[in-house]
Amino acid sequence: MNGATGSNHGSAGGGEGRRAAAAFGAAPAAMLVADRAAGVMLTNRAFTDFTGVEHADALGRPWPEVLAADDPASAWELHRAALDGDPAHRRALVTAHYAGATHRVVAEARVLPEPGPGGEAGNIVVVFREPLREEETLRVISELRTENADTALWTLDLRTGALRELFGPSPLGRLLVGDARGLEEILARVHRDDIARVRDAIEASQQGRDYEQRFRMFDHLGDERSLHARARYVRGDHPRLVGILDDVTEHVQLIRRLADRRRIEAAQGRQVTDLAAKLVSATTVEEVTGLLTDEFVPIFGGARAGVMLVEEGGLRASPPPSEEAPGPMGLTGEYDTSDAAHPIGAVIQDRQPRFFESRAEILERFPAVGEFLHRTTAQSWATIPVFGDRRVALGVWQVAWGEPHHATPDERALMLTLAGLAGQALQRVRRQQEELQLADAIQRRMLPPQIAQFAELSIAVRYLPSRAGWRVCGDFYDVIRLPGRRVGLVVGDVQGHGVEAAAAMGQIRVAFRAYASNQVDPGVVLAETNRLLSETGEIVFATCGYLVLDLDSGEMQAAWAGQPPAVIAAQGSYDLWEPETGPPVGVDGDSKYPVTTRWLRGGDTLLMCSDGLVESAHMPMDEGLRVVGEDLVGLAGDVEAAAASLIGLTPAGRGDDIALLIARMSGTE
C-alpha cells in the first residue's frame, strides 16, 4: 500500500488485519485515513493514481491542504461534519488540485469504528471519486447561479442546528457570516425587528413545513442587507431544510427609491395644484409674475426665473431687474419684440418654446446673446411663451439653471401648461383692472367734488378704495345743506363690486339729495329712498346712516339702515352712538326707519364711517371701533388731521372700500 500498509496500522499483525490492509491498498476507490486533526496516516494506490500525490508527500499533512491548498474550506467542513457524526453532511463536493489542474471531486468521510484513547471518535477514512454526470451538472448549474450573483445555496440540519452551504462557501455566504456555521450565531446578526418572525418560521419547519421569509441581516462588515430565503423540507433520520438565499438589498432599495419618488411627485403634484389655484385667483399682474418667478421655479430645480411682458411693442421685465440682479439671461432693461436674434424675441415671433442645455448650445444658435451672458452665472435656460386668447403673445417666461440641465418631456409639458394658466390669469387681471379703473372713475365722479362749508361746523371726508384686487365697492358720503340752518350728513355702502355698485351708489346719493331737500324727517328720507330702490326692480342693497344736525341747538336726528355706530369724541374720551336701525335700503320697499335723537355739543367731534374702516374677517367690529375711537380722541380738535390719521391707520385692513365723514362743532360746552 505504497509502502505504508497494514503492518503499521492493522490489528496487531494478525491475518485479519493484514487482509484488511491489503484490501485497503488494492481498493479501486481513492482513499485515505486521517487522524482527528486531519493529518494523513494512510493512502492507497488508487489515491496516488487519482491525485498524483505520493504517500510520502501526504503523510502527516492535513488532507484538506494536501488535496486543495488553494481552497480547502469545503474539505475542512466535511472533516468537521464527520467528527460530529452528522450523517447528512458526510458527503461533499470539494476542490482538488492534481495533474496540473483544479477539479471538483466527490468526497465522503466516515469515522472508523475504533474509538480514540479517551473514548472520542477515532480516525477518519475519506473516499474520493469523480462526480456522477448528474452531480457534475448540478454543480455547474449551482456555481453559475451563485458565482456572480447575490445568492447562496444552503442546508440546515433541523436536529443539530448545523447550517452550511451546498458546494462550499459562496461570496454572499462569506459576506454575511464569514466562518460562522452555528444557527444561533448566525441568527444573532438578524435585525431585531425581524428575528421573532424568522424564529417562528424555523419552528414551523420543525413540523415539516417549507420555509420562506424576507428579513434584514447585518453582514460581517456591519451593513444591513435585505434577504429572501426559501427552502424545502427534506424528511429523514436527520430532517433538514435545503434552500436558496437571495440578497435583495438592491431590489428593496430600488422599491424605496421608487416609493420616495412617487411621494415626491405626489407632493409636487399637490404643490402644482395649489400654485395653479393661486394663478386662477391672482388679482394683480405682480401676483402672476411673482408666482412664475418665485414659487414655480423650485418645482423644476431652477436657480432663478424672469418674466418679460409685451407692452406697446416692447418687452418689459416684471419685476424690473437691476444691474446687480439682471434677468436670467443677463437682460437689465426693455427689449424689442421684433429682434429675433435673441431667444426671447424669437419666442415672441414664432410662439415656440426654446430649451438650451448649455451656454455653448445657446451661443451656437443665438450668437448675439454673448454680450449679455457675462452678467449671469446661469448655464442652461428654458424660454416659454405666455399666450392669451387666440395665441396672442402676452410675454415670455424664462427659467434658468446654475448647471447644464436637460428639461425632460414632462418638465416641458408642465412649463407650457403653467405658462398657459399664467396667460389666462394675466388677461383676466387686465380686464379686471380696466373695470376697476372705470368703476373707480365712475365712483369718484359721483362723489361730491367738494362739500358744503359751514362756519359753525368743521367737516373732513375721505374715500379709500379697496386693495383687494379688482374690488371697487359703492361706499359714499355726502354733506347736504338744508333749510333752517340744518345740515344733512350721510355715509353709505352699496353691496356689490365693480361698475354696477358704483352706478348704484350714484343713484342712491342723488335720491338722498332729492328727498332730503323736501323732507325734514331723516326716517322718511330713508324710507323714500328704500321705496325707490325697490320699485326699480334692480337687486341693489345698501347700508347707510343719515342724520340731520341743527347748527343752532346741536340736535342730531338720525335714521340708520344697518350702518356701524357713530363715534363721538369729547374731552379726552369717546362714546359710541348706536341709533335704532332698520334693514338695509332696497331689501323691503315697505320698511320704516325709526329716528333717534342726540345732541352734539360745542367741541364734540362726530365720526360716521362705512364698515370697511372698522370690520373685516380678521377684525371684529367692536375692536375696530375701539381702535378708531382711541385714535379720534387724540386728534379730535383737527378734523383733517383726524381723517388723515384714520385713513393711514385702517385698523380693519384694506379688504373693503372705506368712506368716512368727520364733523366737529365749533365752540366749547
Side-chain angles (χ1 to χ4, degrees):
M1 194 181 300
N2 300 329
T5 56
S7 59
N8 294 328
H9 304 283
S11 54
E16 185 178 348
R18 285 193 296 274
R19 286 192 295 274
F24 177 83
M31 295 189 292
L32 63 79
V33 177
D35 59 22
R36 291 178 55 80
V40 176
M41 301 170 61
L42 294 174
T43 63
N44 67 357
R45 184 173 296 107
F47 179 83
T48 301
D49 295 340
F50 189 68
T51 65
V53 179
E54 296 292 340
H55 172 73
D57 295 333
L59 188 64
R61 297 172 56 197
W63 71 265
E65 307 293 340
V66 172
L67 192 67
D70 295 335
D71 187 15
S74 299
W76 276 113
E77 186 169 355
L78 176 63
H79 183 83
R80 289 190 292 266
L83 288 175
D84 294 338
D86 185 356
H89 297 161
R90 288 178 179 173
R91 180 184 301 169
L93 277 172
V94 299
T95 304
H97 188 82
Y98 55 85
T102 300
H103 306 268
R104 296 284 281 178
V105 300
V106 177
E108 185 171 355
R110 299 269 178 166
V111 177
L112 292 174
E114 298 86 353
E120 70 277 4
N123 299 327
I124 294 176
V125 60
V126 186
V127 181
F128 303 93
R129 64 175 173 81
E130 293 284 353
L132 299 176
R133 183 177 183 84
E134 291 78 7
E135 291 175 326
E136 183 65 15
T137 300
L138 178 60
R139 177 190 65 81
V140 171
I141 292 174
S142 299
E143 285 186 345
L144 289 175
R145 179 74 173 85
T146 61
E147 184 178 19
N148 294 316
D150 292 330
T151 300
L153 306 177
W154 57 279
T155 178
L156 171 66
D157 189 323
L158 292 172
R159 192 184 71 174
T160 65
L163 181 68
R164 71 180 184 89
E165 291 190 70
L166 300 174
F167 312 118
S170 65
L172 177 59
R174 294 191 189 97
L175 175 65
L176 291 177
V177 299
D179 296 329
R181 290 296 179 267
L183 180 61
E184 291 301 322
E185 186 180 3
I186 294 171
L187 289 180
R189 295 180 180 271
V190 176
H191 195 286
R192 64 181 182 181
D193 293 340
D194 300 338
I195 185 62
R197 182 163 42 83
V198 172
R199 287 188 181 277
D200 289 345
I202 294 175
E203 289 294 330
S205 297
Q206 299 281 1
Q207 310 303 317
R209 298 180 184 176
D210 292 340
Y211 180 90
E212 182 170 6
Q213 283 292 308
R214 287 180 179 267
F215 57 94
R216 292 162 293 174
M217 182 175 179
F218 296 96
D219 60 28
H220 75 281
L221 299 176
D223 294 328
E224 182 181 296
R225 318 293 298 185
S226 294
L227 305 174
H228 182 204
R230 293 165 293 161
R232 292 285 185 266
Y233 176 81
V234 180
R235 299 180 183 278
D237 294 337
H238 283 256
R240 55 199 170 106
L241 293 174
V242 178
I244 186 169
L245 180 71
D246 291 310
D247 184 353
V248 294
T249 302
E250 292 186 1
H251 177 69
V252 170
Q253 290 174 344
L254 176 61
I255 291 175
R256 288 174 180 169
R257 287 195 295 268
L258 289 174
D260 290 341
R261 179 177 176 182
R262 290 191 183 99
R263 283 194 293 271
I264 292 171
E265 289 176 347
Q268 288 181 335
R270 291 191 295 271
Q271 183 183 17
V272 169
T273 301
D274 293 342
L275 293 176
K278 289 184 178 181
L279 271 179
V280 172
S281 61
T283 57
T284 65
V285 172
E286 289 73 20
E287 283 185 65
V288 176
T289 58
L291 287 168
L292 291 174
T293 57
D294 298 328
E295 299 198 42
F296 284 156
V297 177
I299 297 175
F300 307 101
R304 61 179 310 174
V307 176
M308 303 284 285
L309 298 179
V310 176
E311 293 184 1
E312 299 179 355
L315 282 166
R316 178 185 60 82
S318 178
S322 63
E323 290 291 341
E324 295 75 20
M329 202 170 281
L331 296 178
T332 57
E334 296 186 358
Y335 196 78
D336 186 358
T337 58
S338 63
D339 186 1
H342 194 283
I344 292 178
V347 167
I348 290 292
Q349 291 296 314
D350 63 16
R351 296 167 175 76
Q352 295 298 317
R354 300 288 198 284
F355 299 90
F356 307 101
E357 297 185 18
S358 66
R359 288 188 168 224
E361 181 181 357
I362 194 172
L363 287 171
E364 179 181 356
R365 295 170 61 182
F366 294 93
V369 304
E371 63 177 296
F372 303 109
L373 292 187
H374 71 278
R375 300 176 185 158
T376 178
T377 58
Q379 300 295 314
S380 52
W381 298 265
T383 307
I384 314 295
V386 178
F387 295 130
D389 294 339
R390 296 182 296 278
R391 290 181 64 82
V392 174
L394 302 178
V396 172
W397 175 34
Q398 193 167 63
V399 179
W401 290 266
E403 62 277 330
H405 177 81
H406 172 73
T408 65
D410 288 344
E411 286 180 328
R412 298 184 183 200
L414 181 56
M415 286 183 180
L416 289 170
T417 299
L418 294 175
L421 291 174
Q424 296 174 17
L426 284 172
Q427 279 198 318
R428 186 188 68 256
V429 166
R430 286 176 174 174
R431 292 191 188 106
Q432 291 170 351
Q433 287 180 334
E434 291 172 358
E435 180 183 352
L436 174 67
Q437 293 169 357
L438 175 61
D440 187 57
I442 293 174
Q443 186 164 13
R444 291 188 181 278
R445 287 292 300 271
M446 290 189 175
L447 289 172
Q450 60 183 12
I451 60 174
Q453 300 293 321
F454 303 91
E456 301 87 349
L457 192 66
S458 300
I459 301 175
V461 292
R462 292 289 189 277
Y463 168 73
L464 191 65
S466 165
R467 281 182 179 169
W470 56 273
R471 289 171 55 97
V472 170
C473 305
D475 290 20
F476 64 95
Y477 58 80
D478 204 353
V479 178
I480 307 170
R481 187 184 297 273
L482 300 175
R485 289 181 52 77
R486 293 189 302 273
V487 180
L489 305 177
V490 59
V491 171
D493 180 2
V494 177
Q495 304 305 301
H497 313 289
V499 174
E500 293 83 0
M505 178 272 289
Q507 293 176 341
I508 293 173
R509 196 176 72 83
V510 170
F512 259 101
R513 278 192 166 265
Y515 290 122
S517 63
N518 296 312
Q519 296 289 343
V520 176
D521 189 331
V524 174
V525 173
L526 272 184
E528 292 297 325
T529 304
N530 173 57
R531 182 183 57 78
L532 176 65
L533 289 178
S534 301
E535 290 177 352
T536 61
E538 297 183 11
I539 304 176
V540 177
F541 311 112
T543 61
C544 55
Y546 174 57
L547 67 82
V548 175
L549 172 63
D550 187 316
L551 294 176
D552 293 327
S553 66
E555 180 186 40
M556 297 183 293
Q557 290 187 316
W560 239 238
Q563 192 72 357
V567 181
I568 299 177
Q571 296 190 2
S573 64
Y574 71 91
D575 184 22
L576 298 182
W577 181 31
E578 300 184 61
E580 186 176 352
T581 185
V585 295
V587 173
D588 179 3
D590 296 328
S591 294
K592 303 300 181 183
Y593 296 89
V595 175
T596 304
T597 302
R598 179 167 175 167
W599 276 263
L600 188 68
R601 297 167 300 181
D604 287 354
T605 302
L606 169 73
L607 167 66
M608 300 170 63
C609 65
S610 60
D611 60 357
L613 180 65
V614 294
E615 184 179 39
S616 70
H618 307 290
M619 172 71 72
M621 182 176 291
D622 290 346
E623 178 66 14
L625 288 169
R626 182 190 64 78
V627 174
V628 166
E630 291 176 353
D631 189 72
L632 182 64
V633 167
L635 296 169
D638 185 341
V639 294
E640 288 293 339
S645 177
L646 290 175
I647 286 297
L649 183 63
T650 56
R654 295 287 301 280
D656 196 0
D657 282 17
I658 296 172
L660 63 83
L661 183 155
I662 301 176
R664 183 174 188 273
M665 286 288 286
S666 301
T668 59
E669 184 179 1

